[in-house]
């Protein structure tokens, strides 16, 4: 070694202490519930709230249609897109649904349980207030609004299939068209509606955020106004010429007194019309936080609860006064419907009725550790199963006990970070 090399070695700083290795057994931070709440998109909450207001107003106009062509035109116009918009958003938020345990639990507690409760309540209301004491409680024959819950269950369970098939929207349209000319489907589970509204859910499954940004551009908003106005004028023209039952998607063509082929034609025509009007609706939904944005999380409350008031008002004869059937009366009814459904979506109502709409049912489900143990015990047989259970008892560690928790590797294997899987909730 020469002298210059020796001098450079003397000037070099001494190596610092080596940092200790990061333990991979420490769980990674999990986003808090408040952070998850901030991730809600104001546009979709606004769209859901405005859609449910249109649903309530449409139901309030139903008794006013007799003798009023204008009320019938508004009714037909709104019915052309309010439920398609609601269903499309439901499909969009079901894109990631699979048969993971936490998502299945959420489906059962957030869809099936409310269906059982409200189908029973609606049936009791019809029997008691509707002077029909013999009306049965039948979970196979949804009455009034509860069809949407059973439809949502069927659509969501079938989501993995619609994610892998080729040409899903044309295929769902073909199924809807065949259903519209098949009167033998019957009323069980309201399958006509389930199948005829299916294309809107499938379309939502395959939409991406850029699609919603596209319809919210300024030029689309400008086009949306004349298109919606033209649709309203057409609805006014069509009132005496068209059966509004087509917009319910509840019956086959033959059941409405039309030839079978008209069901196929109307399926494609109404799908195109509804998608255009839904795009016009989305074009004018505000994307920023509004005073009603928080109410978008409670739209299912407003949907199921307002139907009780609508049917109760029918049974009580509240629509009998003649002044309600004037333009001023129709405006009063519209305002009352909007105010009532807004109140029913409020956080106060959500807290009061969460036990029925979003019940915590931990008691009804097996914990993640119990499910993992059951899977491990069923995978082996005889002495091999016993050895596997003994090994798991001596070295395995369970990361948490809630849904989606991950069972850590055995102590004999290199430790790895445990990241709890996040549960996804269906839209409010």
């Amino acid at each position: 070694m020469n002298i210059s090399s020796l001098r450079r070695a003397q000037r070099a700083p001494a190596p610092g202490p080596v940092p200790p290795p990061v333990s991979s057994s420490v769980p990674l931070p999990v986003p808090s519930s408040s952070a998850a709440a901030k991730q809600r998109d104001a546009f979709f909450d606004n769209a859901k709230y405005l859609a449910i207001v249109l649903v309530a107003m449409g139901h309030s106009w139903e008794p006013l249609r007799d003798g009023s062509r204008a009320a019938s035109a508004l009714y037909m116009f709104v019915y052309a897109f309010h439920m398609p918009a609601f269903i499309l958003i439901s499909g969009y938020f079901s894109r990631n649904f699979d048969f993971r345990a936490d998502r299945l639990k959420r489906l059962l507690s957030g869809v099936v349980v409310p269906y059982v409760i409200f189908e029973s309540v609606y049936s009791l209301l019809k029997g008691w207030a509707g002077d029909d004491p013999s009306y049965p409680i039948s979970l196979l024959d949804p009455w009034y609004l509860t069809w949407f819950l059973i439809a949502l269950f069927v659509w969501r369970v079938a989501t993995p299939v619609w994610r892998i098939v080729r040409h899903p929207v044309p295929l769902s349209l073909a199924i809807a068209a065949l259903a519209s000319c098949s009167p033998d489907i019957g009323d069980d589970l309201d399958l006509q509606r389930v199948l005829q509204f299916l294309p809107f859910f499938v379309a939502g499954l395959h939409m991406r955020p850029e699609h919603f940004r596209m319809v919210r551009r300024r030029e689309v908003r400008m086009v949306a106004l004349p298109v919606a106005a033209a649709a309203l004028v057409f609805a006014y023209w069509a009132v005496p010429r068209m059966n509004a039952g087509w917009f319910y998607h509840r019956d086959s063509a033959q059941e409405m007194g039309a030839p079978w082929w008209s069901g196929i034609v109307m399926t494609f025509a109404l799908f195109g019309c509804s998608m255009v009007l839904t795009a016009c609706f989305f074009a004018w939904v505000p994307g920023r936080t509004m005073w009603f944005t928080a109410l978008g999380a409670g739209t299912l409350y407003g949907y199921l609860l307002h139907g009780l008031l609508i049917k109760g008002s029918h049974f009580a004869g509240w629509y009998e006064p003649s002044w309600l059937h004037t333009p001023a009366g129709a405006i009063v009814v519209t305002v009352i419907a909007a105010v009532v459904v807004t109140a029913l979506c409020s956080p106060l109502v959500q807290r009061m009725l969460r036990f029925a709409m979003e019940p915590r049912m931990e008691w009804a489900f097996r914990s993640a550790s119990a499910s993992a143990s059951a899977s491990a015990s069923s995978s082996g047989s005889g002495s091999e199963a016993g050895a596997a259970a003994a090994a798991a008892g001596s070295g395995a560690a369970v990361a948490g006990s809630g849904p989606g928790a991950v069972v850590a590797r055995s102590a004999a294997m290199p430790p790895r970070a445990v990241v709890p899987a996040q549960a996804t909730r269906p839209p409010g």
Side-chain angles (χ1 to χ4, degrees), residues 126-141:
K126 182 173 176 60
W128 172 67
D131 292 330
D132 189 5
S134 62
Y135 189 82
I137 297 177
S138 174
L139 300 181
L140 296 179
D141 187 12

Side-chain angles (χ1 to χ4, degrees), residues 105 362 366-369 398-405:
K105 291 176 183 177
E362 307 300 334
R366 299 164 65 180
S367 64
S369 57
V398 178
S401 60

Side-chain angles (χ1 to χ4, degrees), residues 39-418:
Q39 295 177 358
R40 295 186 68 96
D41 192 326
F43 167 78
F44 291 107
D45 280 336
N46 293 338
K48 288 189 293 182
Y49 166 76
L50 294 175
I52 202 63
V53 169
L54 290 175
V55 170
M57 290 193 304
H59 288 152
S60 70
W61 293 338
E62 188 170 355
L64 306 179
R65 291 187 299 153
D66 294 338
S68 175
R69 188 170 178 177
S72 298
L74 281 171
Y75 180 86
M76 189 179 293
F77 171 74
V78 169
Y79 263 73
F81 70 91
H82 70 351
M83 283 308 296
F86 209 74
I87 293 168
L88 191 142
I89 294 175
S90 299
Y92 178 76
F93 281 99
S94 300
R95 293 170 299 162
N96 297 324
F97 180 83
D98 54 25
F99 293 103
R100 206 173 69 183
D102 58 327
R103 290 171 178 160
L104 287 175
K105 291 176 183 177
R106 177 62 185 166
L107 180 65
L108 294 174
S109 61
V111 176
V112 175
V113 171
Y115 170 73
V116 173
I117 293 175
F118 279 89
E119 175 61 25
S120 302
V121 171
Y122 273 99
S123 298
L124 292 174
L125 174 66
K126 182 173 176 60
W128 172 67
D131 292 330
D132 189 5
S134 62
Y135 189 82
I137 297 177
S138 174
L139 300 181
L140 296 179
D141 187 12
W143 184 65
Y144 199 38
L145 301 180
T146 55
W147 70 267
F148 178 72
L149 290 176
I150 200 65
L152 183 60
F153 175 81
V154 174
W155 294 333
R156 194 161 285 176
V157 167
T159 291
V161 175
W162 293 110
R163 297 294 299 172
I164 63 172
V165 298
R166 291 181 181 272
H167 313 299
V169 176
L171 178 59
S172 64
L173 271 170
I175 293 174
L178 290 174
S180 69
C181 58
S182 303
D184 293 333
I185 288 180
D187 296 329
D188 289 347
L189 299 182
D190 224 342
L191 282 180
Q192 278 288 358
R193 273 177 165 161
V194 173
L195 297 177
Q196 291 192 37
F197 275 114
L198 174 64
F200 301 104
F201 185 84
V202 175
L205 281 177
H206 292 82
M207 292 190 72
R208 297 187 297 274
E210 53 265 30
H211 294 139
F212 292 96
R213 288 194 294 266
M214 184 187 307
V215 299
R216 293 164 60 196
R217 294 182 301 181
R218 186 175 183 275
E219 54 270 27
V220 177
R221 289 183 178 180
M222 295 300 101
V223 173
L225 290 177
V227 169
L232 186 56
V233 172
F234 178 82
Y236 188 84
W237 172 86
V239 165
R241 299 173 174 87
M242 182 178 177
N243 186 350
W246 289 108
F247 296 99
Y248 303 153
H249 299 279
R250 183 177 57 196
D251 301 306
S252 65
Q254 296 93 319
E255 290 172 307
M256 290 190 291
W260 67 269
W261 54 264
S262 63
I264 299 175
V265 173
M266 291 299 291
T267 295
F268 287 92
L270 289 178
F271 179 77
C273 173
S274 297
M275 290 298 289
V276 169
L277 292 179
T278 298
C280 294
F281 169 71
F282 286 146
W284 283 96
V285 171
R288 64 185 184 279
T289 300
M290 308 290 288
W291 65 266
F292 53 80
T293 301
L295 302 177
T299 50
L300 192 59
Y301 290 78
Y303 176 80
L304 291 174
L305 294 173
H306 91 275
L308 297 174
L309 299 178
I310 292 292
K311 283 301 181 183
S313 65
H314 290 185
F315 295 142
W318 292 352
Y319 281 91
E320 292 178 0
S322 58
W323 71 270
L324 285 178
H325 298 266
T326 64
I331 293 175
V332 170
V333 169
T334 302
V335 172
I336 291 176
V339 171
V340 168
V341 78
T342 298
L344 295 177
C345 294
S346 65
L348 175 61
V349 174
Q350 293 180 47
R351 288 193 296 269
M352 292 173 58
L353 295 178
R354 184 165 284 122
F355 72 93
M357 303 290 294
E358 302 175 272
R360 297 183 61 86
M361 299 180 59
E362 307 300 334
W363 56 270
F365 302 115
R366 299 164 65 180
S367 64
S369 57
S371 300
S373 300
S375 300
S377 61
S378 63
S379 62
S381 60
S383 60
E384 295 179 357
S394 61
V398 178
S401 60
V406 181
V407 179
R409 294 287 195 270
S410 171
M413 301 180 66
R416 296 179 60 184
V418 177

